[in-house]
Amino acid sequence: MKQIRIISPAGALDADFTFRAAERLNAQGFDVHIAPHAIGRYGRFAATAEERTADAVDALTDPEVGLVLCTRGGYGMQQIIDKIEIGVRSRGYNGAAVCGFSDITELHQLIARLGGKSIHGIMCKPIANLTDDAEPWLALQRMLRDEACDYTVAPSPLNREGTTTGILRGGNMAVLCGLSGTPYDIRLSIEQDRQEGKRTILFIEDVGEHHYKIDRMMHQLRLNGVLDAVSGVVVGQFADCDDDPEMGCTLQESIAAVLGEQTYPVLFGFPAGHVAHNMPLPFGVETELTVTKKAGHVTCAALPLGLEPRTP
């Protein structure tokens, strides 16, 4: 039975949420441990860069760890992502998955670079606070129990119909664009998939960005070849990203326009991102995307985490 290790590689979170999240996961039969520097505070961060790096390296190299759960995103990963990789490669990656979103997109990209899998999903505060019947919490439990996932999404007039398969990758669009030109560039993940004879499905979401900045980032993905290289796109939630009347269209229409040159399936409105109803998505596993006039379907293979929870 492998453990869940909780770390804070980026922003600080109130320790109460972390303790309550650990208790709730323990109550579901999982073996949960909190890293030494996960509940501290050092300015806007949970700890110094060296301490956050040490916790991440320990979690990703300890053979007893099957899942690394981040307390929150915020900002801080770009300070240490390369140092984490150096430490993990020197000690040996244990194959653990990472769970989180937002700034944790950088860790997803590192895990992809290491050949592992990860979960774009809720972190400690929602785990502590969501009701027992909340779908993101129930879906995360199923994923942690190595169950496959199958989501149905309401139709959108902006969708493009079709069916494709590929390895699901992506995350927060601003973070992904900020990684362009670095070793954690998503273009390299796509190329890695291609060399293994696999295609890639891109997932994107964002929060608190101006309409024109979203448009700019979409064109960055177009200009650097990402949109040409994938086999499908899943558009998540763009929370607190208001339409700009001067753009002459809605934010969603801007995204659709940039994708207009492509012929692969595109699904709008997937319930994941900086929203309360944030459904988990497994990155690094085979995924089927099907878009019809009636609905969109995202079906993902199971993650073999090896957590083997006790019966609660």
Side-chain angles (χ1 to χ4, degrees), residues 10-217:
L13 180 69
D14 188 319
D16 180 61
F17 294 124
T18 302
F19 288 132
R20 286 165 50 203
E23 290 171 3
R24 199 171 193 191
L25 287 163
N26 273 318
Q28 291 300 315
F30 298 103
D31 182 22
V32 185
H33 297 254
I34 300 174
H37 307 103
I39 57 172
R41 184 173 289 275
Y42 185 80
R44 68 181 299 150
F45 310 110
T48 67
E50 292 76 16
E51 290 168 337
R52 288 181 283 130
T53 300
D55 278 359
V57 171
D58 288 344
L60 291 169
T61 57
D62 186 338
E64 298 299 314
V65 177
L67 178 76
V68 180
L69 173 63
C70 299
T71 59
R72 62 159 295 183
Y75 170 72
M77 286 304 317
Q78 203 153 23
Q79 298 177 332
I80 62 174
I81 191 68
D82 55 331
K83 299 174 180 63
I84 293 173
E85 180 174 9
I86 291 169
V88 171
R89 288 194 183 278
S90 68
R91 290 167 54 176
Y93 173 46
N94 59 10
V98 166
C99 182
F101 69 104
S102 192
D103 205 50
I104 306 306
T105 296
E106 300 206 19
L107 262 184
H108 291 309
Q109 284 303 107
L110 171 57
I111 295 299
R113 184 170 161 84
L114 294 170
K117 300 169 177 61
S118 56
I119 300 172
H120 183 281
I122 58 175
M123 296 179 279
C124 283
K125 187 173 181 179
I127 290 175
N129 287 346
L130 287 172
T131 60
D132 289 341
D133 61 351
E135 266 304 306
W137 167 234
L138 293 174
L140 180 64
Q141 290 180 62
R142 291 192 293 268
M143 201 168 287
L144 299 187
R145 297 177 194 278
D146 293 348
E147 295 182 27
C149 61
D150 187 359
Y151 297 119
T152 299
V153 180
S156 165
L158 299 176
N159 284 350
R160 181 178 295 112
E161 296 176 43
T163 298
T164 189
T165 58
I167 304 298
L168 190 62
R169 302 201 184 278
N172 182 265
M173 191 158 66
V175 175
L176 288 173
C177 288
L179 290 171
S180 183
T182 76
Y184 313 101
D185 193 324
I186 194 164
R187 291 179 300 174
L188 301 179
S189 302
I190 295 169
E191 176 60 21
Q192 184 174 309
D193 290 339
R194 189 193 66 78
Q195 290 178 1
E196 295 175 1
K198 301 171 183 176
R199 296 183 293 183
T200 308
I201 297 173
L202 176 66
F203 167 77
I204 52 173
E205 63 83 30
D206 221 313
V207 61
E209 295 285 357
H210 291 294
H211 186 156
Y212 75 89
K213 290 186 178 180
I214 297 294
D215 189 66
R216 175 193 291 157
M217 287 185 279

